[in-house]
Amino acid sequence: MSRSISQRACMVFGGLALAGALSFAQAAPVSFAVPLTGAQQVPPVQTPGSGNAALTYDAGSRVVTWNITFSGLTSPVTMAHFHGPAAAGQNAGVKVWISQKGTAEVTSPITGQATLSADEAKLFEGGQMYINVHTKNNPNGEIRGQVTPPK
């Protein structure tokens, strides 16, 4: 009799664990904003320009969508990317193109989406990516913002 109760208890707990895992994978997408400034560049860039990235992220599908606006930059935008892995104050290589690769000039707004790899999703969710907007006068980036999804 106690074996039967133990088996039922394991089945109940196993079912609850599975339900919890499924609900996490099916969590609703989250939307958040990332301010983009020259002060966040490494090293900082003196610029009258600024921007904002409106992001939506679905952890279940690992899809990130963006609408990035900017104005007042010192020269035309040449490209924009997600970089990582890097905490605020650190630099890293390109992970995901935001602008269309090979475009001569990029205008505001930049809209798009990408499906992150499992490794990129871990970096993104862990706050280890940043957005960098590069310009002709500042090829290493004129404005930047650390991506910190809400918990």
Side-chain angles (χ1 to χ4, degrees):
M1 180 167 150
S2 75
R3 180 177 170 165
S4 173
I5 292 172
S6 294
Q7 286 177 334
R8 276 191 226 147
C10 284
M11 290 177 70
V12 168
F13 287 122
L16 290 172
L18 180 60
L22 289 175
S23 67
F24 178 74
Q26 296 173 354
V30 294
S31 296
F32 59 102
V34 176
L36 307 172
T37 65
Q40 293 186 70
Q41 281 294 137
V42 178
V45 172
Q46 293 293 331
T47 177
S50 64
N52 185 67
L55 304 178
T56 300
Y57 179 65
D58 184 331
S61 64
R62 300 189 320 261
V63 172
V64 60
T65 61
W66 56 82
N67 183 347
I68 299 172
T69 58
F70 49 85
S71 63
L73 300 175
T74 63
S75 60
V77 172
T78 57
M79 61 189 132
H81 316 97
F82 286 98
H83 291 252
Q90 298 176 334
N91 287 323
V94 173
K95 285 293 182 189
V96 178
W97 276 78
I98 292 172
S99 60
Q100 186 175 354
K101 193 173 187 177
T103 302
E105 188 174 319
V106 180
T107 58
S108 180
I110 307 170
T111 58
Q113 72 175 34
T115 301
L116 303 178
S117 70
D119 288 341
E120 290 167 344
K122 285 179 188 175
L123 295 175
F124 188 91
E125 293 169 10
Q128 291 293 306
M129 280 192 171
Y130 62 91
I131 294 169
N132 208 2
V133 177
H134 306 260
T135 63
K136 185 176 179 181
N137 288 350
N138 292 282
N140 292 327
E142 185 162 334
I143 56 175
R144 169 180 163 159
Q146 194 72 26
V147 176
T148 310
K151 300 292 179 199

